[in-house]
Amino acid sequence: MPNPDPALLKATPKQLHIQGTWKNATANRTMQVDNPATNTPLCTVADATPQDAQAALTAARAAQRTWAATPPRTRSEILHRAHELTRARTEDLALLMTLEMGKPLAEARGEVTYAAEFLRWFAEEAVRIDGGYATSPDGRNRHLVLRQPVGPCLLITPWNFPLAMAARKIGPAAAAGCTMVLKPAPQTPLSSLALTGILAEAGLPPGVLNTVTTSDAAGLVEPLLRGGGIRKLSFTGSTEVGRTLLAQCADTVVRTSLELGGNAPFLVFGDADLDAAVDGAMIAKMRNMGEACTAANRIYVHRSVADEFATRLTARMSTLTVGDGTDPGTDVGPLIDAAGRAKVESLVRDAVERGAKVLTGGELPPGEGNFYPPTVLAEVPRDAALTSTEIFGPVAALFTFDDEDEVVAAANDTQWGLVSYVFTRDLDRALRVGERLETGMVGLNTGLVSNPAAPFGGVKQSGLGREGGRVGIEEFLEYKYLAVPTGS
Ligand code: NAP
């Protein structure tokens, strides 16, 4: 039986966080949060209006100057404390995430660690913001180069990694000296509200982080972006919404970072270590039930090993246990909602109608919840809809290839360019193919690339900018140069 833990839900903040105070939304509006494992309500949270969002922005603007002038060491120590508090509350945060989002508890614990590591990484980066001092080539000027925070930021996050995506933005923005308005996804507000509470407890001053939960994202966000008070948008979500927001940002020339959708190709060459390739595919495909921008969407296997790879992958996929994520025996939780499950079901049906073979799964289970079984499809035709759509579910689609040029061309034949995976024992080929793949990240003989210390992000329509690594904080900093005549 699922364990909704009433005490934990009761203790989790459910109001808006504006100017350091928890507040109800205007007219006490609320919205419901559901458990995707049972499709039953968990609780309600505040449902912000455009007026509430304006109040959040006003608070962020008012706090900007003081926060920018706060010593980097102080900003760093607050983030260090937030990292420690997050780690100390792993069990509560993990359960909260599983309840609102569905992922198995073990994966939710992993996400808490991942999120906390972003806070630690950017606590370390806060004190490493540097500048420059140079003499101009003609000797007439000194050039002083400063790095300054870009200003109040709007952070918009998706439901699939509700804690990590918020931490990946709050960490660098706070470290750089920016104030923020955070708008989490309506399906998963609780993780963001809990993280907001942790940052306040860690000492983040009032107004620096303002969190607004809402069922009216478009109604809130467009006026904020067009109003001129936001200086930076950092968005993680679908390419479709990213495009809309980019157009809105163009009108007031708001700086923009976009982490958008993916359609990752996963290449297994004939000389690959097949055990490693199957392990990698299990991670790249099944992490988060396949609801990840990094999920292997198209698995291309060399003809010489295609049958063996399919047999081994099917053996692994068919033994996974599907169930409520709060059950310790569960490997695969529910999808986020009925619409998400219906999309996966229709993509599988389309592939099968076009000739794909179902090696395991493919049948909807009876009963409550948005469950979809781990599924392997072999001999998927290249015109199947799932080749050009994010599956966002536990479905491994296998394609066969014969040579390197052919598979690189197929892998690159997409509007997306977030991540790709290559399995081969030939180092030269690994590097050659890695260089040719049009993605921002490449996993060589690994199914996991996400790491707070590395620059995460995509090319083509998978986004603009990077999160994490040494460059993550750059997204929240401006250059300013002072010209000083040498005689003065
Ligand atoms: P989504 O529908 O694009 O929503 C993302 C966020 O944007 C939500 O908070 C959503 O709120 C908000 N939003 C939607 N329309 C908006 C609008 N017109 N104006 C302002 N905000 C708006 O994406 P999702 O379904 O939550 O997340 C899945 C997508 O995120 C996938 O495509 C996945 O690949 C991508 N993703 C990318 C990365 C990465 O790092 N590249 C990481 C994780 C996920 P509402 O739901 O209320 O509309």
Side-chain angles (χ1 to χ4, degrees), residues 31 114 154-161 165 168-169 183-188 214-222 225 233 235-242 244-245 248 258-263 288 291-295 336-337 343 390 392 416 418 441 456-458 462-463 467:
M31 60 183 188
Y114 183 46
L154 176 59
L155 315 177
I156 303 180
T157 52
W159 48 263
N160 61 345
F161 292 97
M165 295 302 98
R168 197 162 82 169
K169 297 183 187 308
K183 193 217 80 66
Q187 297 93 331
T188 56
T214 184
S215 61
D216 180 20
L220 254 69
V221 166
E222 188 166 2
L225 289 176
L233 167 72
F235 170 77
T236 298
S238 61
T239 297
E240 190 188 354
V241 174
T244 302
L245 295 178
Q248 290 172 12
L258 303 175
E259 295 288 348
L260 307 178
N263 181 354
N288 224 39
E291 292 174 319
C293 53
T294 50
I336 189 69
D337 53 27
K343 175 185 162 192
E390 273 188 295
F392 247 53
W416 285 289
L418 187 62
M441 303 173 287
F456 187 105
S462 285
E467 290 189 326

XYZ file of all heavy atoms in Angstrom, residues 31 114 154-161 165 168-169 183-188 214-222 225 233 235-242 244-245 248 258-263 288 291-295 336-337 343 390 392 416 418 441 456-458 462-463 467, ligand 1:
559
model
N -4.617 25.010 -5.601
C -4.709 23.986 -6.652
C -4.315 22.627 -6.048
O -3.601 22.576 -5.049
C -3.815 24.333 -7.843
C -2.350 24.445 -7.501
S -1.406 24.930 -8.966
C 0.262 24.764 -8.364
N 21.937 14.563 -5.902
C 22.281 15.323 -7.121
C 21.949 16.811 -6.916
O 22.762 17.695 -7.200
C 21.479 14.710 -8.269
C 21.684 15.263 -9.655
C 22.950 15.508 -10.166
C 20.582 15.506 -10.481
C 23.112 15.991 -11.460
C 20.734 15.985 -11.775
C 21.998 16.234 -12.255
O 22.159 16.707 -13.532
N 14.081 34.936 -13.572
C 12.887 34.086 -13.525
C 13.338 32.661 -13.815
O 13.969 32.410 -14.858
C 11.867 34.559 -14.568
C 10.608 33.717 -14.711
C 9.829 33.630 -13.397
C 9.700 34.306 -15.805
N 13.057 31.765 -12.890
C 13.466 30.365 -13.023
C 12.206 29.515 -13.202
O 11.318 29.535 -12.343
C 14.220 29.902 -11.771
C 15.289 30.852 -11.201
C 15.894 30.268 -9.928
C 16.376 31.131 -12.235
N 12.125 28.779 -14.301
C 10.934 27.941 -14.562
C 11.397 26.500 -14.699
O 12.318 26.208 -15.479
C 10.202 28.395 -15.845
C 9.802 29.872 -15.725
C 8.981 27.532 -16.105
C 9.067 30.432 -16.943
N 10.775 25.604 -13.939
C 11.256 24.215 -13.890
C 10.159 23.212 -14.273
O 8.969 23.501 -14.135
C 11.781 23.885 -12.474
O 10.773 24.227 -11.526
C 13.057 24.646 -12.173
N 10.571 22.024 -14.749
C 9.617 20.972 -15.126
C 9.351 20.025 -13.955
O 9.961 20.153 -12.894
C 10.367 20.250 -16.238
C 11.803 20.325 -15.796
C 11.967 21.609 -15.036
N 8.485 19.053 -14.200
C 8.080 18.135 -13.131
C 9.001 16.924 -13.021
O 8.956 16.206 -12.041
C 6.642 17.646 -13.360
C 6.397 17.169 -14.767
C 5.835 17.893 -15.782
C 6.746 15.905 -15.336
N 5.822 17.165 -16.942
C 6.364 15.929 -16.698
C 7.339 14.742 -14.835
C 6.562 14.847 -17.557
C 7.534 13.670 -15.685
C 7.152 13.726 -17.023
N 9.836 16.633 -14.040
C 10.479 15.310 -14.044
C 11.641 15.161 -13.060
O 11.860 14.074 -12.533
C 10.871 14.884 -15.471
C 11.848 15.812 -16.134
O 12.060 16.932 -15.685
N 12.451 15.343 -17.209
N 12.384 16.264 -12.827
C 13.411 16.262 -11.763
C 13.133 17.490 -10.895
O 13.858 18.498 -10.973
C 14.823 16.299 -12.367
C 15.197 15.036 -13.092
C 15.072 14.932 -14.464
C 15.664 13.925 -12.384
C 15.401 13.755 -15.133
C 15.997 12.745 -13.050
C 15.868 12.659 -14.419
N 16.283 20.199 -10.761
C 16.212 21.288 -11.746
C 16.123 22.640 -11.038
O 16.677 23.638 -11.505
C 15.019 21.099 -12.691
C 15.110 19.860 -13.570
S 16.589 19.786 -14.616
C 17.667 18.737 -13.660
N 19.655 23.340 -9.596
C 20.611 23.620 -10.671
C 20.515 25.076 -11.141
O 21.422 25.595 -11.771
C 20.319 22.654 -11.833
C 21.407 22.518 -12.835
C 21.241 21.269 -13.662
N 20.306 21.440 -14.754
C 20.148 20.556 -15.741
N 20.846 19.425 -15.740
N 19.284 20.759 -16.697
N 19.383 25.720 -10.860
C 19.227 27.139 -11.212
C 19.459 28.037 -9.995
O 20.131 29.071 -10.098
C 17.809 27.380 -11.756
C 17.532 26.612 -13.035
C 16.167 26.935 -13.583
C 15.797 26.048 -14.756
N 16.790 25.977 -15.840
N 9.274 29.494 -10.489
C 7.948 28.949 -10.793
C 8.086 27.465 -11.121
O 8.492 27.098 -12.216
C 7.291 29.681 -11.970
C 5.815 29.332 -12.087
C 5.311 29.216 -13.489
C 5.613 27.932 -14.179
N 4.981 26.713 -13.650
N 7.774 26.600 -10.167
C 7.888 25.155 -10.441
C 6.694 24.648 -11.253
O 5.702 25.364 -11.422
C 7.885 24.538 -9.046
C 7.251 25.546 -8.147
C 7.348 26.900 -8.802
N 6.795 23.419 -11.743
C 5.685 22.803 -12.478
C 4.529 22.530 -11.510
O 4.755 22.173 -10.349
C 6.150 21.509 -13.129
N 3.287 22.661 -11.989
C 2.137 22.502 -11.082
C 1.955 21.065 -10.568
O 1.380 20.865 -9.511
C 0.942 22.922 -11.949
C 1.412 22.793 -13.359
C 2.881 23.033 -13.351
N 2.491 20.090 -11.319
C 2.353 18.690 -10.847
C 3.233 18.441 -9.622
O 2.939 17.551 -8.826
C 2.784 17.709 -11.944
C 1.949 17.720 -13.215
C 2.548 18.650 -14.259
O 3.210 19.644 -13.936
N 2.301 18.344 -15.519
N 4.357 19.188 -9.509
C 5.356 18.871 -8.475
C 5.817 20.122 -7.710
O 7.015 20.423 -7.660
C 6.585 18.225 -9.132
O 7.074 19.133 -10.153
C 6.292 16.878 -9.755
N 1.622 27.858 -9.386
C 0.433 28.336 -10.100
C -0.073 27.310 -11.102
O 0.697 26.487 -11.601
C 0.740 29.654 -10.854
O -0.472 30.140 -11.449
C 1.781 29.456 -11.948
N -1.376 27.409 -11.409
C -1.944 26.596 -12.491
C -2.044 27.423 -13.777
O -2.568 26.949 -14.776
C -3.337 26.099 -12.082
O -4.185 27.215 -11.861
N -1.567 28.668 -13.720
C -1.697 29.572 -14.868
C -0.322 30.100 -15.272
O -0.040 31.293 -15.174
C -2.642 30.729 -14.473
C -2.834 31.728 -15.604
O -2.571 31.376 -16.785
O -3.226 32.876 -15.316
N 0.549 29.185 -15.744
C 1.936 29.566 -16.054
C 1.994 30.692 -17.086
O 2.669 31.704 -16.880
C 2.698 28.347 -16.573
N 1.251 30.516 -18.176
C 1.332 31.512 -19.247
C 0.840 32.872 -18.754
O 1.453 33.906 -19.048
C 0.513 31.048 -20.454
N -0.253 32.876 -17.993
C -0.834 34.125 -17.499
C 0.107 34.874 -16.571
O 0.096 36.104 -16.519
N 0.941 34.133 -15.831
C 1.874 34.772 -14.894
C 3.152 35.224 -15.569
O 3.682 36.300 -15.297
C 2.277 33.763 -13.805
C 1.670 33.963 -12.440
C 0.192 33.645 -12.520
C 2.347 33.062 -11.444
N 3.652 34.354 -16.446
C 5.021 34.537 -16.937
C 5.120 35.622 -18.006
O 6.038 36.441 -17.976
C 5.567 33.184 -17.446
C 6.820 33.373 -18.276
C 5.828 32.272 -16.254
N 4.161 35.652 -18.925
C 4.285 36.613 -20.031
C 4.366 38.060 -19.530
O 5.270 38.800 -19.939
C 3.157 36.421 -21.051
C 3.406 37.277 -22.275
C 2.550 36.906 -23.467
O 1.718 35.986 -23.361
O 2.719 37.561 -24.507
N 7.845 38.714 -18.124
C 8.910 38.840 -19.127
C 8.783 40.124 -19.939
O 9.773 40.723 -20.308
C 8.895 37.632 -20.064
C 9.361 36.315 -19.447
C 9.211 35.169 -20.436
C 10.814 36.412 -18.982
N 16.001 34.906 -17.944
C 15.107 33.743 -17.842
C 15.961 32.493 -17.900
O 16.796 32.341 -18.804
C 14.118 33.716 -19.015
C 13.368 32.387 -19.159
C 12.330 32.207 -18.054
C 12.685 32.278 -20.526
N 15.100 28.579 -18.124
C 13.940 27.693 -18.308
C 14.398 26.271 -18.579
O 15.299 26.049 -19.395
C 13.109 28.195 -19.504
C 12.028 27.236 -19.939
C 10.851 27.122 -19.223
C 12.195 26.443 -21.077
C 9.850 26.237 -19.633
C 11.204 25.559 -21.496
C 10.025 25.460 -20.760
N 13.777 25.322 -17.935
C 13.952 23.915 -18.305
C 12.574 23.342 -18.588
O 11.667 23.444 -17.756
C 14.634 23.113 -17.187
O 15.933 23.646 -16.972
C 14.773 21.641 -17.571
N 12.420 22.755 -19.767
C 11.131 22.182 -20.146
C 11.155 21.792 -21.610
O 12.222 21.551 -22.183
N 9.980 21.768 -22.208
C 9.890 21.276 -23.587
C 10.393 22.324 -24.582
O 10.370 23.535 -24.310
C 8.432 20.939 -23.900
O 7.651 22.110 -23.780
N 10.797 21.857 -25.735
C 11.254 22.757 -26.803
C 10.120 23.683 -27.238
O 10.329 24.872 -27.479
C 11.778 21.915 -27.980
O 12.909 21.171 -27.508
C 12.205 22.773 -29.152
N 8.909 23.135 -27.274
C 7.761 23.932 -27.722
C 7.558 25.162 -26.827
O 7.438 26.292 -27.296
C 6.533 23.020 -27.677
C 5.334 23.588 -28.324
C 4.114 22.698 -28.063
O 4.254 21.605 -27.488
O 3.016 23.146 -28.432
N 7.551 24.940 -25.508
C 7.362 26.075 -24.588
C 8.599 26.972 -24.604
O 8.487 28.201 -24.555
C 7.035 25.568 -23.163
C 6.994 26.726 -22.178
C 5.707 24.820 -23.155
N 9.778 26.369 -24.739
C 11.013 27.159 -24.805
C 10.985 28.169 -25.950
O 11.388 29.318 -25.799
N 8.304 29.527 -27.323
C 7.354 30.601 -26.974
C 8.021 31.610 -26.045
O 7.914 32.825 -26.223
C 6.127 29.987 -26.257
O 5.553 29.027 -27.120
C 5.100 31.030 -25.878
N 8.750 31.109 -25.037
C 9.364 32.003 -24.055
C 10.507 32.804 -24.688
O 10.705 33.975 -24.360
C 9.857 31.197 -22.845
C 8.725 30.520 -22.054
C 9.303 29.702 -20.910
C 7.752 31.555 -21.506
N 9.034 35.689 -26.365
C 8.635 36.723 -25.398
C 9.862 37.487 -24.888
O 9.833 38.695 -24.694
C 7.865 36.095 -24.230
C 6.492 35.589 -24.656
C 5.793 34.798 -23.558
O 6.201 34.779 -22.410
N 4.710 34.128 -23.930
N 18.126 28.123 -21.957
C 17.049 27.157 -22.194
C 17.619 25.742 -22.156
O 18.552 25.433 -22.898
C 16.418 27.406 -23.569
C 15.842 28.799 -23.853
C 15.378 28.899 -25.303
C 14.676 29.106 -22.918
N 17.065 24.916 -21.293
C 17.393 23.479 -21.268
C 16.136 22.770 -21.752
O 15.161 22.663 -21.010
C 17.744 23.026 -19.846
C 19.000 23.650 -19.274
C 20.278 23.122 -19.906
O 20.230 22.115 -20.638
O 21.330 23.746 -19.678
N 16.160 22.305 -22.998
C 14.907 21.844 -23.623
C 14.902 20.334 -23.842
O 15.675 19.610 -23.236
C 14.702 22.620 -24.928
C 14.767 24.144 -24.772
C 14.601 24.857 -26.113
C 13.733 24.649 -23.770
N 14.059 19.911 -24.725
C 13.859 18.480 -24.926
C 15.039 17.800 -25.612
O 15.955 18.450 -26.104
N 14.989 16.480 -25.643
C 16.036 15.694 -26.296
C 15.429 14.561 -27.102
O 14.214 14.320 -27.059
N 16.291 13.890 -27.850
C 15.864 12.710 -28.618
C 17.134 11.875 -28.794
O 17.624 11.688 -29.894
C 15.284 13.145 -29.971
C 14.805 11.977 -30.801
O 15.002 10.810 -30.429
N 14.201 12.265 -31.939
N 14.373 7.374 -14.164
C 13.165 8.210 -14.110
C 12.041 7.654 -14.997
O 11.260 8.419 -15.561
C 13.516 9.641 -14.568
C 12.903 10.691 -13.674
O 12.850 10.522 -12.453
N 12.456 11.773 -14.252
N 11.359 9.163 -18.269
C 10.888 10.553 -18.314
C 12.075 11.489 -18.043
O 12.120 12.174 -17.020
C 9.790 10.785 -17.281
C 8.500 10.041 -17.590
C 7.475 10.176 -16.485
O 7.849 10.111 -15.290
O 6.289 10.314 -16.798
N 13.033 11.462 -18.935
C 14.228 12.298 -18.776
C 14.596 12.863 -20.142
O 14.472 12.171 -21.168
C 15.399 11.482 -18.220
N 15.069 14.113 -20.149
C 15.499 14.724 -21.411
C 16.691 13.976 -21.983
O 16.955 14.021 -23.173
C 15.841 16.192 -21.187
S 17.019 16.427 -19.856
N 17.436 13.280 -21.110
C 18.618 12.530 -21.528
C 18.279 11.081 -21.924
O 19.183 10.305 -22.237
C 19.631 12.473 -20.373
O 18.921 12.040 -19.206
C 20.275 13.828 -20.110
N 17.014 10.704 -21.894
C 16.641 9.300 -22.133
C 17.024 8.847 -23.539
O 16.841 9.584 -24.518
C 15.139 9.128 -21.938
N 3.818 10.406 -15.198
C 3.360 11.574 -14.437
C 1.839 11.720 -14.443
O 1.247 12.091 -13.432
C 4.032 12.885 -14.929
C 3.710 14.056 -14.000
C 3.667 13.208 -16.374
C 4.317 13.995 -12.650
N 1.207 11.441 -15.573
C -0.255 11.591 -15.603
C -0.837 10.756 -16.748
O -0.101 10.135 -17.527
C -0.677 13.073 -15.690
C 0.002 13.807 -16.850
O 0.361 13.144 -17.845
O 0.168 15.037 -16.748
N 0.273 9.147 -24.367
C 1.233 9.480 -25.433
C 2.163 8.289 -25.687
O 2.397 7.900 -26.842
C 2.038 10.714 -25.016
C 3.138 11.073 -25.982
C 3.984 12.219 -25.450
C 5.310 12.292 -26.172
N 6.265 13.168 -25.534
N 9.900 12.766 -28.424
C 10.419 12.277 -27.136
C 9.423 11.251 -26.609
O 8.252 11.584 -26.377
C 10.471 13.425 -26.125
C 11.724 14.241 -26.136
C 11.761 15.214 -24.965
O 10.914 16.119 -24.918
O 12.643 15.059 -24.101
N 9.427 9.693 -23.627
C 9.160 10.020 -22.222
C 8.423 8.887 -21.501
O 7.428 9.084 -20.799
C 8.391 11.341 -22.104
C 9.228 12.412 -21.454
C 10.487 12.717 -21.943
C 8.771 13.100 -20.335
C 11.284 13.690 -21.336
C 9.560 14.074 -19.725
C 10.815 14.362 -20.234
N 16.737 17.911 -32.470
C 17.299 18.022 -31.114
C 18.791 17.715 -31.094
O 19.310 17.061 -32.011
C 16.600 17.041 -30.175
C 15.226 17.498 -29.794
C 14.902 18.538 -28.968
C 13.981 16.939 -30.204
N 13.548 18.658 -28.850
C 12.952 17.689 -29.598
C 13.631 15.876 -31.024
C 11.605 17.397 -29.778
C 12.293 15.583 -31.211
C 11.301 16.346 -30.589
N 20.696 17.199 -27.590
C 21.076 17.304 -26.178
C 22.227 16.356 -25.838
O 23.297 16.778 -25.441
C 19.854 17.012 -25.285
C 20.083 17.264 -23.792
C 20.396 18.718 -23.521
C 18.866 16.834 -22.977
N 26.360 16.934 -25.368
C 27.021 15.976 -24.472
C 27.056 14.609 -25.155
O 26.133 14.262 -25.902
C 26.243 15.863 -23.162
C 26.088 17.213 -22.455
S 25.016 17.146 -21.015
C 23.396 16.996 -21.755
N 26.239 20.963 -18.527
C 25.088 20.230 -19.048
C 24.316 21.137 -19.995
O 23.971 22.258 -19.647
C 24.186 19.828 -17.874
C 23.050 18.918 -18.256
C 23.099 17.563 -17.948
C 21.935 19.418 -18.908
C 22.046 16.725 -18.304
C 20.880 18.586 -19.261
C 20.937 17.240 -18.954
N 23.999 20.640 -21.198
C 23.173 21.429 -22.101
C 23.238 20.918 -23.517
O 24.018 20.008 -23.815
N 22.406 21.507 -24.378
C 22.277 20.973 -25.721
C 22.548 21.990 -26.803
O 22.673 23.191 -26.547
N 17.685 21.793 -28.667
C 17.715 21.322 -27.273
C 18.124 22.428 -26.312
O 18.162 22.197 -25.106
C 18.653 20.118 -27.125
O 18.032 18.969 -27.660
N 18.442 23.604 -26.819
C 18.626 24.690 -25.860
C 19.738 25.652 -26.141
O 20.447 25.565 -27.154
N 24.234 24.457 -17.859
C 24.044 24.477 -16.408
C 25.073 23.557 -15.783
O 25.337 22.469 -16.305
C 22.623 24.024 -16.045
C 21.586 25.063 -16.450
C 20.187 24.777 -15.926
O 19.811 23.590 -15.825
O 19.461 25.744 -15.623
P 6.792 21.948 -20.257
O 5.395 21.582 -20.560
O 7.558 22.718 -21.260
O 6.744 22.764 -18.873
C 7.910 23.191 -18.225
C 7.559 24.350 -17.323
O 7.132 25.457 -18.109
C 6.415 24.063 -16.355
O 6.668 24.744 -15.149
C 5.226 24.655 -17.096
O 4.129 24.975 -16.279
C 5.862 25.899 -17.691
N 5.134 26.443 -18.828
C 4.421 25.797 -19.759
N 3.907 26.682 -20.665
C 4.325 27.904 -20.285
C 4.155 29.213 -20.804
N 3.428 29.461 -21.911
N 4.728 30.244 -20.159
C 5.454 30.012 -19.061
N 5.662 28.802 -18.501
C 5.108 27.753 -19.120
O 7.678 20.687 -19.921
P 7.363 19.506 -18.878
O 6.342 18.629 -19.496
O 7.106 20.051 -17.517
O 8.785 18.788 -18.817
C 9.190 17.862 -19.752
C 10.080 18.504 -20.802
O 11.205 19.100 -20.164
C 10.657 17.483 -21.756
O 10.627 17.996 -23.064
C 12.092 17.317 -21.272
O 12.973 16.859 -22.260
C 12.394 18.695 -20.812
N 13.521 18.698 -19.858
C 14.723 19.166 -20.273
C 15.814 19.131 -19.415
C 17.154 19.647 -19.855
O 18.002 19.866 -18.994
N 17.387 19.861 -21.136
C 15.666 18.625 -18.121
C 14.424 18.149 -17.730
C 13.345 18.204 -18.613
P 2.664 24.335 -16.676
O 2.847 22.869 -16.648
O 1.741 24.888 -15.678
O 2.321 24.792 -18.053
